[in-house]
Amino acid sequence: MEIVVSGIRSTGNLHLGNYFGALRNFTRMQHENKCFFFIADYHSLTTHPTPSNLHENVRQVLAEYLACGIDPDVATIYLQSDVPEVTELYLLLNMIAYKGELERTTTFKEKVRNQPDNVNAGLLTYPVLMAADIIIHKANRVPVGKDQEPHLEITRKFARRFNNMYGTGFFPEPEAYNFGEKLVKIPGLDGTGKMGKSEGNGIFLSDDDKTIRKKVMRAVTDSGPTEPDQKVAEPIKNLFTIMQFVSDPATVKHFKEQYAACTIRYGDLKKQLAEDLVSFVAPIRESIAGISADRDYLRKVVRRGEEKARESASKTISDVRRIIGFKPF
Ligand code: TRP
């Protein structure tokens, strides 16, 4: 049994890319591993310091986690800001993190480009907090996408450095978890690239039927195949890829054959895809709405999560303090 930690920033609603790339697998792995899933609300402050919607965003993501099948009786699901031990470890790790290596992290350089007017120290030390999130539970596995690889790399470095500095094997070096399969990448509806939060190319788990239909009908296509069996262009390939996740295999086959025979009508393809997406998303959306309205349930989930997460975290912190040399008088 492995210890698994993963977090998600509370900066917006989850989309199908998050669902197929991560959440679906979280619900599978929770039964075979000791899983800690948390909402990275502190991390959200590095880019979204807006008190007016902080709480709402956290509640939304929490409800979405639960609606997708994370079971609070099986996994530990909690808020980062409920576990002060994480911030303590973050402070301690900051003493062994070097400014230069943080400045060289590709994700930091990208953030600097994205928000040149707000290069706060939290952005620079984002990977330190993330490392604390992970090693506070002495995790071995971190199920994240490829974009998070630099952060995992640096997390391993900090774990190793701590161990070397204090002559211990205390922290394991956590590895990425790819669910024993190729990382799935859900494309967006804008013809190129993957589905993302900020790209405006995604279908959200909270989208209503009308929005889903509108987004799909507006999806980028091309002028259509002109020769039999011609290579499928990227925008159309992307629609087929999404279809493979939500439609019947016979439906996918039908449209692929039509494409190969040059008889395909993109309008029909989109209508079918829209309906299949609607059927897929609607029950999840309704479940999100139900859970999100049930304040008593959410309060219970969060309290229980906090308790379980702190039990694990406080054990690590007291060991770390002892290893570093703090002693009671
Ligand atoms: N940086 C991650 C992201 O943007 C979120 C995150 C924060 C995280 N702490 C983590 C993921 C710890 C895994 C483990 O997606």
Side-chain angles (χ1 to χ4, degrees), residues 190-211:
D190 51 356
T192 156
K194 70 170 194 172
M195 193 174 280
K197 254 178 222 166
S198 33
E199 289 79 353
N201 64 2
I203 303 278
F204 292 94
L205 299 178
S206 50
D207 278 348
D208 61 27
D209 297 353
K210 203 168 136 221
T211 307

Side-chain angles (χ1 to χ4, degrees), residues 71-196:
D71 182 346
D73 289 328
V74 178
T76 299
I77 170 161
Y78 64 100
L79 314 186
Q80 187 183 37
S81 63
D82 274 342
V83 183
E85 291 81 4
V86 169
T87 48
E88 182 169 350
L89 184 57
Y90 163 66
L91 177 139
L92 296 170
L93 288 180
N94 268 315
M95 309 306 170
I96 62 167
Y98 300 115
K99 173 173 159 284
E101 68 189 341
L102 296 174
E103 280 169 341
R104 282 193 302 276
T105 312
T106 48
T107 45
F108 174 67
K109 290 196 259 185
E110 197 181 299
K111 297 257 172 70
V112 171
R113 275 196 299 276
N114 292 345
Q115 52 182 66
D117 299 329
N118 182 19
V119 185
N120 57 76
L123 270 189
L124 182 69
T125 57
Y126 186 113
V128 187
L129 180 55
M130 180 155 162
D133 290 331
I134 295 169
I135 68 178
I136 191 78
H137 302 299
K138 301 177 79 174
N140 326 91
R141 294 283 181 178
V142 186
V144 283
K146 223 176 161 31
D147 60 316
Q148 295 297 312
E149 194 45 56
H151 288 150
L152 263 192
E153 191 65 51
I154 211 163
T155 299
R156 282 193 287 274
K157 212 189 259 180
F158 294 155
R160 201 157 47 227
R161 196 174 291 157
F162 180 95
N163 289 347
N164 288 340
M165 187 170 282
Y166 296 108
T168 142
F170 184 70
F171 284 121
E173 290 182 34
E175 299 287 338
Y177 200 13
N178 61 11
F179 319 108
E181 50 184 70
K182 243 177 32 227
L183 281 181
V184 293
K185 191 178 98 180
I186 306 294
L189 295 170
D190 51 356
T192 156
K194 70 170 194 172
M195 193 174 280

Side-chain angles (χ1 to χ4, degrees), residues 218-266:
R218 276 202 315 242
V220 173
T221 53
D222 61 10
S223 52
T226 51
E227 287 166 37
D229 296 316
Q230 125 185 14
K231 187 166 174 285
V232 186
E234 198 185 355
I236 312 303
K237 204 163 92 198
N238 289 350
L239 296 184
F240 278 135
T241 301
I242 299 175
M243 207 172 211
Q244 267 154 4
F245 282 95
V246 296
S247 306
D248 199 46
T251 306
V252 183
K253 186 162 173 272
H254 168 76
F255 285 104
K256 283 199 166 162
E257 281 168 4
Q258 285 202 336
Y259 187 94
C262 303
T263 54
I264 192 163
R265 291 196 346 216
Y266 289 151

